Amino acid sequence: MTSGTRLLLIGPPGAGKGTQASRLASAFAVPAISTGDIFRDNVANQTELGLKVKSIMDAGEYVPDDITNAIVADRLREPDAKNGFLLDGYPRTPDQVAELDRVLAAEYEPLNAVVLIDADPEEVVARLLKRAAEQGRADDTEGVIRHRMSVYSAQTAPLIDLFEERGLLVRVDGLGSVDEVTERILNALAAAGVVA
Ligand code: ADP
């Protein structure tokens, strides 16, 4: 049996998930597992997986569920995830939810909470364009950003209701400084009985 804290972090592109994920992961002493980072590392290292997903990511589409699910299942089996984890950017589709449910039921205790970082679409487009100028991510051009937003709205936003029905959803406003948002998340989790 496993112990520790098991969290998901969801929210639109540009809501600040990556930044908050590393802070929450250290607060809870669990690994932050970001599917976006795993894919980007593979693209940078030109692995077989990287070559497969590069054009999909550059177009702002989701990587196919079978690929994404296999990567997360493998990563969760590594020893450091046995005592809890924070998944950033997964699951994003109903099929990914079903696969995560299967993996958790077989090998883990249930999730403690699903943190939604809420953000206004126009605000996050502006943030992403700023990040594009600073970091030059290939999927941060305005057209691709808008496409990623619409993919999120169509495929991932509907999952919010599901986690709400399961009583797991902790909703936090993503507008504000990084510190403010972290504090908001930790307070909201504590109010839901999830304490670091
Ligand atoms: P963002 O939150 O801005 O979309 P991420 O770093 O989380 O940024 O993801 C970047 C890209 O990686 C996505 O646009 C998608 O192509 C791919 N990706 C990441 N996570 C998933 C996932 N769970 N399912 C499918 N594709 C994913």
Side-chain angles (χ1 to χ4, degrees):
M1 265 299 168
T2 56
S3 57
T5 308
R6 288 157 305 281
L7 300 171
L8 307 184
L9 195 54
I10 62 174
K17 293 189 300 292
T19 311
Q20 297 300 332
S22 43
R23 290 171 155 233
L24 294 176
S26 32
F28 285 92
V30 295
I33 301 174
S34 156
T35 42
D37 283 348
I38 294 173
F39 291 138
R40 269 187 297 279
D41 282 349
N42 277 275
V43 170
N45 293 317
Q46 299 188 312
T47 65
E48 200 179 320
L49 170 68
L51 296 174
K52 225 185 277 179
V53 301
K54 184 180 186 312
S55 58
I56 299 173
M57 292 178 74
D58 287 353
E61 299 288 343
Y62 283 172
V63 173
D65 286 332
D66 56 340
I67 298 179
T68 309
N69 284 335
I71 279 173
V72 173
D74 278 355
R75 179 63 187 85
L76 287 178
R77 287 193 184 100
E78 285 178 31
D80 66 337
K82 293 292 168 190
N83 287 317
F85 52 79
L86 183 150
L87 277 171
D88 160 19
Y90 180 93
R92 292 192 201 202
T93 66
D95 190 72
Q96 292 178 17
V97 172
E99 174 63 10
L100 181 64
D101 285 346
R102 265 194 297 278
V103 172
L104 293 185
E107 298 170 46
Y108 296 82
E109 288 174 27
L111 294 171
N112 296 88
V114 177
V115 176
L116 167 66
I117 304 186
D118 242 346
D120 170 67
E122 285 311 313
E123 169 72 18
V124 294
V125 169
R127 276 196 204 180
L128 287 170
L129 287 170
K130 187 162 169 272
R131 181 173 79 188
E134 290 162 3
Q135 299 178 5
R137 247 176 71 166
D139 59 352
D140 275 348
T141 61
E142 182 156 6
V144 175
I145 289 168
R146 295 207 182 272
H147 185 62
R148 280 155 63 208
M149 286 294 171
S150 68
V151 172
Y152 173 83
S153 302
Q155 301 205 44
T156 305
L159 306 180
I160 294 166
D161 287 347
L162 177 79
F163 291 124
E164 186 131 53
E165 281 158 26
R166 293 182 181 186
L168 287 171
L169 196 72
V170 170
R171 193 187 288 260
V172 170
D173 180 2
L175 205 64
S177 74
V178 171
D179 284 343
E180 278 164 1
V181 176
T182 307
E183 199 182 314
R184 242 176 249 156
I185 296 174
L186 290 172
N187 288 340
L189 282 170
V194 184
V195 183

